[in-house]
């Protein structure tokens, strides 16, 4: 078979095309009955690069249409009738046709030569179209038409390459197991000083911007949740500033070290608050212990005195007074509001001790998802997660007295976890997490633009002035006292206009014919989430004001925040796909990775079984192969052995291994 892939040298490419054209014409002249095979392959005159070859082929088609005999003499006569004989004369006339006929084979390889001619023609058209696109005078309409034409030609080229390599699957490239590209974290959304710090962290840790962006949002939410609400004017609607954030990145993406760069100031603030509150806790404990001893003494006096005596009455009064004092003794809030792994009950108890605020922050979020799913219980307790998102009163009564906690009037919870994509499936391991709207409250960031494989051995340090400015700003926000009733931050007139524009853009997409209908539970909350983010950005940008919530949220801030809407839609779609996708996708990825590493374009079912899971039965590998075949990555080959199937990897996918 001729080498039909375009060589890097244009002259060689033309030589290959010319040889195939001569072979096609010679075979048809030698065996005219094979012209039908050429017609079935849809070979057109424009596929011929040599002008005289195209004219000869047109004459052959005309003779075929007239059911006339085909011979060199007949072709020459028909070319004279068509007015194209001059191109043949320039190549020695009829003698050239006789030479083509004499050098022809018995027809073997005709199909390969046809594909070679078609491939060469398609390559030429692609080159010509690209050249036209590069012209400066091309109009927008013409540019759009040329771009569409280029896409069509590339699809045709892919199909020809596949067929040329003996591919028995569907023509064209494989269908991705998932969308290969995701929206990048947008620029100019966060306050400029925070954006600068974010870039410095990404450069230092050599991590995707998504990971750093999600952590930045989480830290802002930690600082302001429970203190301020974002309110729509004249509607009564307000959004708490709690965010539930999940950043997904594969193993080795330096999640923990990046986490520390953002959470460091929060940990420091918690330690300072612990030291600040320590004397108050000591005073409280000392006072409580003294009252308890006095109560115990009063109860002892009451039990030893005669009922009805004055001493008994005084002891009862003292015991009653001491019990009331003990019950009303105010408990100073604890400073430990950060936790990494906590059951729902433990989280509720923590919030009752901190004044209603807690932050579930973990660089390895798998354990967090297990806790949500009820790792230690048959029925997950979701109330603490659901109500704390919107600040709803949380009441928790248990049969065991020691497990009952005081009511929490305005709980506020922030969740920020980084994890591996595969652990997302734990979020749907219990259907209740999805059905009751816990997953719908989450924002997902998939770190798709990984730097792994391109990282430098020596990472640059974060400039000191950037880290100090970030720590100072976050500390200022954290030190704002938590009021009994959150302050209201209202939208300005242009802020409300931007909110309305975003709502009007998202709402039609939620209907039965909209692209967000399948994930409408999550998308229905998207505008509210963007409003929360806009409020956080506004507060961080006005830290120079003692009461930044008194400054209306501007349209510019909301407009910048709304850039994240499309980003989060794409990333949530990928997250839901991972949660609900077939478990065989992981096996398919594993097999493709192994084939690429070993450069194996052909393999057997036995090979696949050994790669995917040699400890399982061979039948368990079948769904993985079916998955890859459905996505056009592999196709079965004819094999002499019946004990082990043979498979071919799509030639276009193999080609991508070396590109």
């Amino acid at each position: 078979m001729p080498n039909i892939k375009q060589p890097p040298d244009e002259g060689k490419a033309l030589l290959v095309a010319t040889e195939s054209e001569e072979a096609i014409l010679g075979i048809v002249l030698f065996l005219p009955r094979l012209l039908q095979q050429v017609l079935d392959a849809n070979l057109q005159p424009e596929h011929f690069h040599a002008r005289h070859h195209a004219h000869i082929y047109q004459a052959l088609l005309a003779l075929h249409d007239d059911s006339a005999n085909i011979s060199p003499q007949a072709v020459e006569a028909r070319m004279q009738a068509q007015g194209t004989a001059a191109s043949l004369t320039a190549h020695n006339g009829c003698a050239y046709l006789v030479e083509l006929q004499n050098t022809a084979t018995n027809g073997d390889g005709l199909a390969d030569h046809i594909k070679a001619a078609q491939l060469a023609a398609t390559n030429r058209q692609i080159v010509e179209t690209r050249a036209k696109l590069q012209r400066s005078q091309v109009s927008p309409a013409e540019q759009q038409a040329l771009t569409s034409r280029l896409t069509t030609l590339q699809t045709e080229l892919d199909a020809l390459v596949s067929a040329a390599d003996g591919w028995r699957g569907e023509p064209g490239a494989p269908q991705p197991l998932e969308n290969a590209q995701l929206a990048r974290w947008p620029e100019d959304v966060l306050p400029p000083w925070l954006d600068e710090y974010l870039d410095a962290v990404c450069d230092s840790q050599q991590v995707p911007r998504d990971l750093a962006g999600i952590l930045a949002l989480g830290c802002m939410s930690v600082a302001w949740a429970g203190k301020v609400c974002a309110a729509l004017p004249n509607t009564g609607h307000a959004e708490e500033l709690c965010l539930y954030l999940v950043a997904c990145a594969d193993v080795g993406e330096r999640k923990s070290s990046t986490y520390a760069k953002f959470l460091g100031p929060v940990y420091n603030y918690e330690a300072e608050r612990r030291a600040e509150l320590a004397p108050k806790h000591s005073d409280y404990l000392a006072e409580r212990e003294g009252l308890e001893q006095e109560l115990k003494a009063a109860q002892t006096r009451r039990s030893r005195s005669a009922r009805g005596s004055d001493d008994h009455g005084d002891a009862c009064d003292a015991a009653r007074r001491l019990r009331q004092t003990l019950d009303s003794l105010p408990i100073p809030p604890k400073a430990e509001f950060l936790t990494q792994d906590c059951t729902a009950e433990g989280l509720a108890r923590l919030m009752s001790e901190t004044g209603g605020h807690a932050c579930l922050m973990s660089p390895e979020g798998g354990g967090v998802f297990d806790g949500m799913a009820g790792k230690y219980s048959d029925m997950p307790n979701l109330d603490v997660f659901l109500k704390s998102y919107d600040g709803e009163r949380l009441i928790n009564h248990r049969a065991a007295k020691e497990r009952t906690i005081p009511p929490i009037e305005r709980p506020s919870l922030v969740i920020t976890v980084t994890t591996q994509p595969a652990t997302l499936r734990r979020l749907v391991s219990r259907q209740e997490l999805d059905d009751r709207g816990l997953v719908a409250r989450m924002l997902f960031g998939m770190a798709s633009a990984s730097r792994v494989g391109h990282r430098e051995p020596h990472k640059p340090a974060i400039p000191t002035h950037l880290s100090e400015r970030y720590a100072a700003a976050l500390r200022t926000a954290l030190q704002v006292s938590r009021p009994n009733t959150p302050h209201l931050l209202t939208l300005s007139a242009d802020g409300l206009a931007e909110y309305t524009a975003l709502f009007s853009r998202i709402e039609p997409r939620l209907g039965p014919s909209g692209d967000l209908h399948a994930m409408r539970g999550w998308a229905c909350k998207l505008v509210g989430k963007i409003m929360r983010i806009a409020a956080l950005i506004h507060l961080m940008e006005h830290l120079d004001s003692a009461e930044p919530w008194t400054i209306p949220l501007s349209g510019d801030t909301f407009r910048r925040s709304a850039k994240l809407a499309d980003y989060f839609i794409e990333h949530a779609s990928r997250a839901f796909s991972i949660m609900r996708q077939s478990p065989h996708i992981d096996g398919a990825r594993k097999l493709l990775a192994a084939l690429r590493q070993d450069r194996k374009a052909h393999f057997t079912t036995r090979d696949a079984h050994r790669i995917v899971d040699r400890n399982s039965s061979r039948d368990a590998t079948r769904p993985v192969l079916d998955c890859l075949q459905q996505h056009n990555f592999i196709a079965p080959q004819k094999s002499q052995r019946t004990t082990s199937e043979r498979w071919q990897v799509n030639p276009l996918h193999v080609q991508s291994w070396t590109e």
Side-chain angles (χ1 to χ4, degrees):
M1 164 179 180
N3 177 17
I4 69 168
K5 293 184 179 178
Q6 184 175 358
D9 183 87
E10 186 177 357
K12 292 181 179 179
L14 295 178
L15 180 61
V16 170
T18 302
E19 289 176 351
S20 290
E21 292 173 11
E22 291 174 344
I24 294 169
L25 297 175
I27 290 172
V28 172
L29 287 168
F30 182 63
L31 297 171
R33 57 184 174 80
L34 294 183
L35 179 56
Q36 187 59 50
Q37 180 180 340
V38 180
L39 296 174
D40 292 341
N42 198 31
L43 184 67
Q44 301 295 325
E46 54 266 25
H47 288 146
F48 289 85
H49 179 261
R51 181 166 168 266
H52 61 293
H53 289 164
H55 291 161
I56 293 171
Y57 185 61
Q58 287 174 328
L60 288 169
L61 294 179
L63 292 171
H64 179 269
D65 290 341
D66 294 342
S67 300
N69 291 329
I70 291 178
S71 66
Q73 294 76 17
V75 170
E76 182 183 27
R78 184 55 61 101
M79 291 180 70
Q80 290 175 348
Q82 292 177 336
T84 59
S87 63
L88 180 61
T89 303
H91 289 81
N92 208 20
C94 188
Y96 178 71
L97 299 175
V98 173
E99 181 183 352
L100 291 177
Q101 185 184 53
N102 291 337
T103 58
T105 64
N106 58 2
D108 292 342
L110 176 60
D112 292 335
H113 287 297
I114 294 172
K115 292 170 186 173
Q118 292 173 327
L119 182 60
T122 306
N123 265 323
R124 290 195 301 273
Q125 293 178 62
I126 289 175
V127 171
E128 293 169 1
T129 305
R130 283 177 177 161
K132 291 178 181 177
L133 269 172
Q134 292 172 356
R135 295 173 185 167
S136 58
Q137 67 271 26
V138 176
S139 66
E142 187 179 1
Q143 186 178 30
Q144 183 176 1
L146 288 171
T147 302
S148 176
R149 172 63 175 160
L150 191 60
T151 302
T152 302
L153 289 170
Q154 190 61 54
T155 302
E156 294 175 2
L157 183 65
D158 289 345
L160 287 168
V161 170
S162 298
D165 283 333
W167 174 245
R168 301 180 68 193
E170 294 294 326
Q175 299 300 313
L177 297 175
E178 58 188 20
N179 293 332
Q181 297 295 326
L182 283 173
R184 301 291 183 90
W185 184 270
E187 303 281 347
D188 304 324
V189 171
L190 302 176
W193 58 266
L194 183 53
D195 237 354
E196 195 174 357
Y197 179 72
L198 187 149
D199 287 334
V201 172
C202 290
D203 290 340
S204 174
Q205 301 302 306
Q206 300 181 72
V207 296
R209 216 164 183 269
D210 316 72
L211 182 59
I214 292 293
L215 293 176
L217 290 181
C219 290
M220 291 193 294
S221 184
V222 169
W224 292 106
K227 301 176 183 178
V228 179
C229 289
L232 292 176
N234 305 319
T235 64
H237 176 73
E239 290 281 348
E240 297 284 337
L241 301 191
C242 304
L243 293 177
Y244 291 0
L245 301 157
V246 180
C248 294
D250 285 322
V251 177
E253 287 284 4
R254 297 174 177 165
K255 297 186 288 293
S256 297
S257 59
T258 307
Y259 215 92
K261 299 300 180 186
F262 284 95
L263 267 293
V266 181
Y267 291 133
N268 293 338
Y269 172 77
E270 185 187 54
E272 292 174 8
R273 283 288 291 166
R274 190 184 302 114
E276 179 185 337
L277 294 174
K280 296 182 180 180
H281 276 282
S282 298
D283 294 344
Y284 164 76
L285 292 174
E287 179 71 14
R288 186 172 188 85
E289 287 173 0
L291 290 171
E292 287 174 343
Q293 289 177 1
E294 292 180 30
L295 176 61
K296 186 176 181 180
Q299 290 172 336
T300 300
R301 282 175 50 207
R302 185 179 66 175
S303 64
R304 290 178 178 177
S305 60
R307 185 176 294 276
S309 65
D310 291 342
D311 191 40
H312 184 272
D314 291 343
C316 288
D317 290 342
R320 188 180 303 109
R321 174 179 51 80
L322 289 167
R323 170 49 63 191
Q324 290 174 350
T325 303
L326 267 173
D327 290 343
S328 61
L329 191 65
I331 304 175
K334 284 188 176 181
E336 290 83 358
F337 57 89
L338 293 174
T339 181
Q340 287 192 355
D341 189 4
C342 201
T343 63
E345 290 77 9
L347 188 59
R349 184 168 298 280
L350 175 64
M351 296 172 73
S352 72
E353 295 172 346
T354 62
H357 182 56
C359 304
L360 193 51
M361 320 286 281
S362 173
E364 296 295 339
V368 173
F369 298 156
D370 289 338
M372 291 177 177
K375 179 179 180 180
Y376 307 105
S377 172
D378 292 335
M379 287 295 293
N381 180 11
L382 301 182
D383 282 353
V384 65
F385 300 107
L386 299 176
K387 293 186 176 181
S388 298
Y389 183 78
D390 291 316
E392 300 177 23
R393 191 169 190 259
L394 182 62
I395 303 176
N396 191 330
H397 289 120
R398 293 287 178 175
K401 183 178 179 180
E402 62 275 7
R403 296 182 64 191
T404 299
I405 63 171
I408 305 172
E409 296 300 327
R410 292 193 64 86
S412 66
L413 175 64
V414 176
I415 300 176
T416 305
V417 297
T418 57
T419 188
Q420 299 169 31
T423 61
L424 290 177
R425 293 183 193 142
R426 299 184 194 177
L427 284 174
V428 289
S429 60
R430 290 289 185 88
Q431 191 63 35
E432 297 96 324
L433 274 67
D434 198 6
D435 291 344
R436 295 186 60 188
L438 177 56
V439 178
R441 286 165 165 78
M442 297 180 178
L443 287 170
F444 300 92
M446 314 297 292
S448 56
S450 173
R451 296 193 186 185
V452 173
H454 307 281
R455 296 180 294 190
E456 299 293 333
H458 306 291
K459 7 177 224 189
I462 299 173
T464 303
H465 73 281
L466 293 181
S467 56
E468 289 179 349
R469 183 168 55 183
Y470 168 74
L474 197 57
R475 178 186 173 83
T476 300
L478 287 165
Q479 288 179 327
V480 174
S481 60
R482 197 174 303 280
N484 293 329
T485 301
H487 304 293
L488 288 183
L489 167 63
T490 59
L491 274 68
S492 64
D494 56 340
L496 181 60
E498 293 296 333
Y499 170 90
T500 304
L502 178 63
F503 184 92
S504 301
R505 180 160 62 89
I506 298 297
E507 185 65 20
R509 301 169 65 182
L510 305 177
S513 59
D515 62 315
L516 298 179
H517 182 71
M519 47 190 287
R520 59 191 177 280
W522 177 89
C524 281
K525 299 180 180 295
L526 178 59
V527 178
K529 295 168 187 171
I530 296 298
M531 185 173 169
R532 296 180 182 211
I533 293 172
L536 292 171
I537 293 173
H538 169 89
L539 293 168
M540 296 304 290
E541 287 182 331
H542 292 84
L543 288 174
D544 54 342
S545 170
E547 298 180 343
W549 49 86
T550 61
I551 304 171
L553 197 158
S554 70
D556 175 68
T557 301
F558 200 100
R559 187 183 312 111
R560 284 159 41 211
S561 305
K563 291 181 182 180
L564 288 168
D566 290 333
Y567 170 88
F568 281 124
I569 287 172
E570 276 197 39
H571 287 247
S573 178
R574 169 71 66 83
F576 286 126
S577 174
I578 292 174
M579 290 181 215
R580 293 160 185 165
Q581 74 185 7
S582 165
H584 309 308
I585 294 288
D586 288 339
R589 289 198 192 94
K590 184 177 181 180
L591 179 55
L592 286 176
L595 294 173
R596 175 174 183 158
Q597 181 176 352
D598 296 339
R599 294 295 191 265
K600 293 185 67 171
H602 304 270
F603 65 98
T604 66
T605 299
R606 182 178 299 170
D607 295 331
H609 175 246
R610 186 177 63 255
I611 293 169
V612 174
D613 188 359
R614 67 173 65 203
N615 296 321
S616 65
S617 67
R618 190 167 298 180
D619 291 340
T621 309
R622 173 57 55 184
V624 173
L625 296 171
D626 290 343
C627 173
L628 288 175
Q629 187 175 3
Q630 290 168 5
H631 285 80
N632 207 37
F633 276 99
I634 63 174
Q637 282 187 301
K638 291 182 179 180
S639 175
Q640 300 296 327
R641 300 175 59 188
T642 58
T643 56
S644 183
E645 298 171 291
R646 287 193 60 80
W647 300 85
Q648 180 188 6
V649 182
N650 191 318
L652 293 173
H653 184 61
V654 173
Q655 185 177 341
S656 72
W657 296 348
T658 56
E659 288 178 346

